[in-house]
Amino acid sequence: MESGKESDSNDLLFPAQVLREYALIGDGERGAVIGPRGDVVWMCAPQWDSPAVFSSLVGGSGVFAVTPLNPRYVWGGHYEDGTLIWNSRWVTTDGIVECREALAMPGDPATAVLMRHIRLISGSAPVRILLQPRPGFGRHGVDVSRSDDGVWSGDGGGLRLRISGMGQATVIDGMLRQDIGLEPGGEHHLVLELSSKPLPSRSPEPADLWTATGQAWASSVPAMDETVAPDDARQSYAVLRGMTSSTGAMVAAATLGLPERAEAKRNYDYRYAWIRDQCFAGQAAGAGAATDLLDSAVHFVSERLLTDGINLRPAYTVTGSRVPDEHTLELPGYPGGTDTVGNWVNQQFQLDAFGEALLLFATAARHDHLDKEHWHAVGQAVAAIEAKWDVPDAGIWELGDERWTHSRLSCVAGLKAISRYAPADQASALDQLAGLILTHTAATCTHPSGRWQRSAADDRIDAALLLPAIRGALPARDPRSLATAEAVRKELLDDGYVYRFRHRPGPLADSEGAFLLCGFNLALTEHLQGNITEAIRLFERNRSACGSPGLFTEEYDIEQRQLRGNFPQAFVHAAMLETAYRLAGPPTPRRSFQVNEQ
């Protein structure tokens, strides 16, 4: 079947849904997005940034679906507590059927194992199983054949495939199809293996896979009882764990090409590891007791600093290689989005990444999780700041090169944070460098009203300027911190949600959605300033801006109450997690320091 015709057929069977209805399953090495009709709409294999095998999310081809035969049903579902094990649930006019779905853990970088466990809860609710992998974003087919034991296998597009549980399937237009009718209490297992290496001689036993996966999740996700929202904190931690590979790298999101604002054409490929996002996640994971995610972040960021030093890139693939240049796939894209692969961030310099790295290392040092090699990475970050703190950079929002205030104050915060754990002679030098940067930034980037402004050349307020006080670059009740927070409330806050900055005159929503990261940061700011009720209100408002499965995107469309952007966005889950930790404690700001500014 031709790729275009197949894509049209898939669109008719499984049309695109709003993002709030999609769930993600993941094992750290890759993820799969599952729609409300039981269709896997997105999965790259063998790793996050590999070409997709199922790509209908962006108008490509390939299908793996478990969907009710009765067209009259309503959908629901939930994650098992503290995991990315998803349970789809369909209530039809005749019965109730569920499908438990997961990627097997612990994950193998070369082999994806997708498990689906169909269970009839009551009545009669037969389902149809469809399978047609299309590796390479639909460019390649997979020639399959059935063995005597009913297992189908084949290869194509550099991948080997095997599916058990479809022994009675027939091939129709190149697609495997099998209908299953169960008795109440009955169950049926599917196990799909996709690998870049030869598969074992026998298919794995579903029971063994489910047991190992459940145990892996149980040992990976802490209880989070010390947070203000343990259930949501556990779920956010599970999302971060499911997006963090064995290399320690955490992808920014599982997808590409999803619109940040409908028809805005700001659509990017986020299947890579951003240094800044990784540091956000590590600091969130270390806000309570030390965790494996903190150690993973320190490992990946320190390796990149030791390898690249002053030439640290803003983002890498999960294996630490260069992010590819942007190009298109000639696919229709998600409605309002595009099909862009790669990311132009590979050509940028982002100064704040060095400051965030030092903040991450300071978090690890507080838990006594910083070893000798990590301290060498600290030295690389400090040397880079010393050499480049006054060089224009792309900044946190990855815009044109400018001497962004946030970037410089992030370095101040990082230098001061790590100085507390450095030997006395080194600590003095770190404090002096931080003081120099703060003094210069204050002289050039303080607005006449007393708040911080975006840069010396841009006097607008920016929600990113809340972070310096949160991270301890200066006190939370410093006049500039107070004035900055007040300006964010006045100019960028709308009904409990916060926008990044004002693009142009007129309503903020005309330019983009509210940024959930900024909303959680304002909640942290209110907490530090002692405004506890307002901090909790902002936290509750922003943690509600998720889809039915509890997943966040980068932006939230306030008017339409829709998710915007790539899915799920890791740094928003990190912000939710950290805020849940911080709000459970007293409003004690991080240690900061005073500088005599001339």
Side-chain angles (χ1 to χ4, degrees):
M1 173 178 290
E2 294 179 10
S3 175
K5 293 181 180 179
E6 182 192 339
S7 178
D8 293 343
S9 175
N10 288 346
D11 288 344
L12 292 174
L13 286 171
F14 307 106
Q17 305 296 305
V18 292
L19 295 180
R20 65 170 48 253
E21 294 189 346
Y22 288 116
L24 174 79
I25 58 175
D27 63 3
E29 308 298 344
R30 79 288 295 168
V33 176
I34 299 174
R37 292 169 174 80
D39 48 325
V40 178
V41 300
W42 181 258
M43 181 177 174
C44 299
Q47 293 185 298
W48 291 104
D49 59 340
S50 301
V53 179
F54 306 110
S55 55
S56 62
L57 185 67
V58 295
S61 55
V63 62
F64 185 26
V66 174
T67 193
L69 276 172
N70 185 336
R72 290 187 59 79
Y73 62 82
V74 292
W75 163 84
H78 71 278
Y79 281 112
E80 296 179 14
D81 187 33
T83 76
L84 288 188
I85 298 173
W86 176 251
N87 287 269
S88 296
R89 180 180 177 90
W90 300 283
V91 179
T92 76
T93 54
D94 301 315
I96 302 173
V97 63
E98 294 184 347
C99 187
R100 190 184 189 209
E101 333 218 34
L103 283 164
M105 287 182 66
D108 179 339
T111 304
V113 181
L114 199 164
M115 309 176 295
R116 312 189 81 168
H117 179 195
I118 307 163
R119 300 166 293 183
L120 183 63
I121 306 304
S122 63
S124 173
V127 298
R128 172 161 292 170
I129 306 166
L130 300 172
L131 175 64
Q132 188 176 39
R134 297 286 297 187
F137 296 103
R139 290 191 297 270
H140 308 291
V142 176
D143 295 324
V144 296
S145 60
R146 180 168 47 193
S147 61
D148 293 338
D149 60 0
V151 174
W152 293 84
S153 60
D155 59 80
L159 293 176
R160 295 168 174 83
L161 170 144
R162 183 165 60 196
I163 176 74
S164 59
M166 295 190 71
Q168 304 304 312
T170 57
V171 181
I172 300 176
D173 292 332
M175 181 184 298
L176 293 180
R177 190 177 84 179
Q178 179 172 332
D179 294 344
I180 297 287
L182 300 171
E183 296 295 324
E187 59 183 17
H188 186 83
H189 286 279
L190 299 168
V191 177
L192 173 65
E193 302 166 83
L194 292 164
S195 184
S196 58
K197 65 182 181 182
L199 291 167
S201 58
R202 297 182 59 184
S203 299
E205 289 294 328
D208 294 339
L209 290 173
W210 282 110
T211 297
T213 299
Q215 291 173 346
W217 279 113
S219 64
S220 296
V221 180
M224 304 293 178
D225 291 338
E226 66 274 34
T227 69
V228 296
D231 287 351
D232 281 4
R234 277 194 300 275
Q235 197 58 53
S236 282
Y237 191 100
V239 171
L240 298 176
R241 171 62 187 89
M243 297 172 70
T244 301
S245 77
S246 54
T247 65
M250 179 197 73
V251 293
T255 58
L256 62 83
L258 303 187
E260 293 184 359
R261 178 174 177 269
E263 300 180 358
K265 297 302 180 184
R266 291 201 302 270
N267 313 279
Y268 304 104
D269 185 353
Y270 280 179
R271 300 171 301 149
Y272 311 108
W274 263 253
I275 296 296
R276 179 192 304 106
D277 297 19
Q278 187 96 56
C279 294
F280 285 170
Q283 291 176 76
T291 65
D292 290 344
L293 280 184
L294 169 61
D295 293 337
S296 293
V298 170
H299 173 74
F300 184 74
V301 173
S302 63
E303 277 203 341
R304 302 282 63 77
L305 277 165
L306 291 171
T307 300
D308 293 340
I310 197 172
N311 296 313
L312 180 75
R313 296 183 182 277
Y316 295 83
T317 70
V318 293
T319 58
S321 59
R322 182 180 183 274
V323 171
D325 294 335
E326 286 189 350
H327 61 281
T328 59
L329 298 169
E330 298 183 0
L331 294 175
Y334 182 85
T338 61
D339 59 340
T340 300
V341 175
N343 199 293
W344 69 330
V345 74
N346 61 12
Q347 302 174 35
Q348 290 186 349
F349 164 59
Q350 295 178 14
L351 175 66
D352 67 301
F354 295 103
E356 292 295 342
L358 292 180
L359 286 162
L360 170 67
F361 295 147
T363 301
R366 178 167 58 86
H367 292 291
D368 197 23
H369 278 227
L370 209 63
D371 63 24
K372 184 177 179 180
E373 283 300 300
H374 301 147
W375 275 106
H376 288 318
V378 168
Q380 291 291 328
V382 171
I385 292 172
E386 191 170 22
K388 289 194 167 186
W389 71 265
D390 198 32
V391 174
D393 77 299
I396 186 173
W397 306 131
E398 300 177 350
L399 304 171
D401 285 351
E402 180 59 87
R403 290 179 173 84
W404 299 108
T405 306
H406 165 266
S407 296
R408 278 133 195 83
L409 295 181
S410 291
C411 292
V412 172
L415 290 164
K416 294 307 300 180
I418 199 63
S419 74
R420 296 167 203 148
Y421 306 97
D425 58 333
Q426 295 180 27
S428 177
L430 294 170
D431 287 344
Q432 288 179 15
L433 178 57
L436 170 65
I437 299 172
L438 179 56
T439 300
H440 185 275
T441 306
T444 57
C445 300
T446 301
H447 190 268
S449 66
R451 62 163 172 82
W452 295 112
Q453 62 184 46
R454 300 186 77 206
S455 72
D458 187 338
D459 66 358
R460 288 175 292 174
I461 185 62
D462 190 316
L465 295 171
L466 297 170
L467 275 167
I470 293 170
R471 298 304 183 207
L474 65 165
R477 300 198 66 81
D478 180 282
R480 290 161 297 193
S481 301
L482 294 172
T484 298
E486 182 57 30
V488 170
R489 295 185 196 104
K490 181 179 179 180
E491 299 186 39
L492 302 178
L493 179 65
D494 183 359
D495 196 23
Y497 301 103
V498 180
Y499 291 84
R500 294 186 300 170
F501 55 88
R502 185 172 292 281
H503 291 260
R504 61 180 69 90
L508 288 160
D510 285 353
S511 298
E512 63 183 16
F515 261 62
L516 298 179
L517 172 68
C518 300
F520 286 118
N521 285 343
L522 184 56
L524 289 174
T525 299
E526 299 288 8
H527 184 252
L528 285 173
Q529 293 182 1
N531 307 320
I532 307 304
T533 300
E534 185 60 21
I536 293 294
R537 190 181 83 84
L538 284 162
F539 173 72
E540 295 296 345
R541 193 68 166 146
N542 283 269
R543 77 165 171 144
S544 70
C546 58
S548 298
L551 301 178
F552 296 104
T553 52
E554 186 173 36
E555 296 184 14
Y556 185 66
D557 186 322
I558 298 174
E559 293 181 355
Q560 297 187 46
R561 301 189 180 187
Q562 295 290 358
L563 310 185
R564 304 293 187 205
N566 281 294
F567 175 88
Q569 190 77 26
F571 69 49
V572 178
H573 289 272
M576 204 295 300
L577 175 61
E578 181 176 0
T579 309
Y581 267 122
R582 305 289 183 202
L583 267 57
T588 303
R590 294 189 176 194
R591 286 178 55 196
S592 57
F593 72 109
Q594 302 291 336
V595 173
N596 292 323
E597 297 165 20
Q598 303 299 322

